[in-house]
Amino acid sequence: MIPYVREIKFDYGACDQVSPLIRRVVANNPGPFTYLGTVTYIIGKGEVAVIDPGPDLPEHLDALMAALQGETVTHILVTHHHSDHSPLARPLQEKTGAKIYGCAVGGQAVDSVVITEAGHDLDFTPDIDICGGGAIFKGPGWTLEAIATPGHTSNHICFALLEENALFSGDHIMGWSTTVVSPPDGDMTAYMESLDLVKARNFTTLWPTHGPPVPDVDPFIAAYIAHRRAREAQVLKAVTDGHGRIKDMVPVLYADVDKRLWPAAARSVLGHIIDLERRGILTTDGQPGPESDYRLAG
């Protein structure tokens, strides 16, 4: 079982100092994919970086500007292009003049029928592209490193705060829930590799863009990985038991999950199946898709 961390005390629009170098402002956009809302982080004092400005809500922009009064924003950093993370980047830039850093949206199609997330900001284009990771950002007393973590989306980036051995994990790892991996933009193979990459860094704290921080990182990520491998085993058992279609698997595999999330769950199952097909464990006629009938290879 994943040791979820869900308790968080905050007021919408308030700016809270949550560590020596980190302040937090929570947007009022709660929902089944955003939990209690998008968490925007401000790093440092005086000359600061802002991570995940959030949804395009005027009141959230006002709250950020109040928190930033008298300071200079040197970097606007975006983990990925979903509409609960990136749309406020341009309005914040207009107020502050800071450049936007992130990874541009790739050419992957977006499923227009099944809404599996808070939405896609397909217009997101950073001023400076950091897709490959490795970029370093500095301010007075703080250093951030971009880490490429594709999987949840093809363009997902996490940011490590080196002075606190902390990681701003976006939607890659969240304390309140697992993340959606929805093909074609989401990729389960890449996601599992990215989880291993983050685990190997031995961070002390994770700061997701939704919910509270994760303080006991190593066992949490290990449980996250174990959960995905267990789900993979469940998919294989479902196929073995004759449930070859995703629409027949989801009610069985996600019986204890809010039915509003079943369409997203179906996309994650597809992600697992595509990964298993690549590894030669499952097969189907033609290209793997949401309506395909799957069977064990060989």
Side-chain angles (χ1 to χ4, degrees):
M1 297 291 292
I2 298 173
Y4 288 120
V5 184
R6 291 176 171 140
E7 294 297 319
I8 178 174
K9 294 182 179 180
F10 71 96
D11 292 316
Y12 289 116
C15 183
D16 297 319
Q17 190 83 42
V18 292
S19 86
L21 290 172
I22 303 170
R23 285 172 282 167
R24 175 180 68 199
V25 182
V26 183
N28 191 357
N29 64 325
F33 296 105
T34 58
Y35 192 39
L36 300 175
T38 295
V39 181
T40 299
Y41 294 103
I42 301 170
I43 314 306
K45 288 284 188 180
E47 295 180 8
V48 305
V50 175
I51 299 176
D52 276 352
D56 192 3
L57 296 175
E59 62 269 27
H60 189 52
L61 179 60
D62 290 344
L64 290 178
M65 293 311 300
L68 295 165
Q69 187 172 2
E71 297 184 298
T72 300
V73 178
T74 57
H75 305 82
I76 298 171
L77 307 175
V78 177
T79 60
H80 63 296
H81 70 283
H82 283 157
S83 61
D84 51 325
H85 293 253
S86 58
L88 204 64
R90 288 296 171 195
L92 183 61
Q93 180 183 59
E94 291 171 4
K95 295 281 190 180
T96 65
K99 290 193 179 298
I100 300 168
Y101 299 78
C103 184
V105 182
Q108 289 80 359
V110 174
D111 192 309
S112 60
V113 178
V114 179
I115 302 300
T116 60
E117 264 290 351
H120 301 265
D121 179 13
L122 296 180
D123 294 327
F124 172 67
T125 305
D127 298 314
I128 299 176
D129 204 299
I130 55 171
C131 286
I136 300 292
F137 313 98
K138 290 180 177 288
W142 57 266
T143 310
L144 289 165
E145 174 194 354
I147 301 175
T149 49
H152 173 62
T153 62
S154 59
N155 66 336
H156 198 285
I157 303 284
C158 292
F159 297 96
L161 178 58
L162 302 187
E163 286 79 4
E164 296 188 5
N165 192 35
L167 184 73
F168 297 96
S169 56
D171 284 357
H172 183 59
I173 303 171
M174 299 183 290
W176 76 281
S177 174
T178 56
T179 192
V180 174
V181 179
S182 178
D185 192 38
D187 186 298
M188 191 64 69
T189 307
Y191 183 69
M192 298 305 293
E193 291 172 352
S194 295
L195 284 178
D196 287 337
L197 173 66
V198 170
K199 189 173 187 298
R201 290 288 297 263
N202 295 312
F203 291 107
T204 303
T205 310
L206 303 179
W207 295 92
T209 302
H210 305 288
V214 176
D216 202 3
V217 175
D218 189 68
F220 191 88
I221 298 179
Y224 234 59
I225 293 170
H227 168 79
R228 289 293 181 182
R229 292 308 181 199
R231 188 68 78 197
E232 175 185 290
Q234 291 172 341
V235 169
L236 287 173
K237 185 178 186 305
V239 173
T240 301
D241 291 345
H243 302 297
R245 294 183 181 273
I246 293 174
K247 65 180 181 180
D248 299 322
M249 297 180 199
V250 170
V252 176
L253 303 185
Y254 293 87
D256 58 346
V257 172
D258 185 340
K259 288 185 179 181
R260 293 179 298 171
L261 301 179
W262 280 11
R267 303 301 296 182
S268 278
V269 169
L270 177 59
H272 276 294
I273 287 173
I274 291 172
D275 178 58
L276 289 164
E277 192 268 346
R278 287 173 181 159
R279 291 154 55 193
I281 299 172
L282 289 182
T283 189
T284 188
D285 297 326
Q287 292 295 314
E291 303 299 327
S292 301
D293 194 358
Y294 297 97
R295 58 188 182 274
L296 296 176

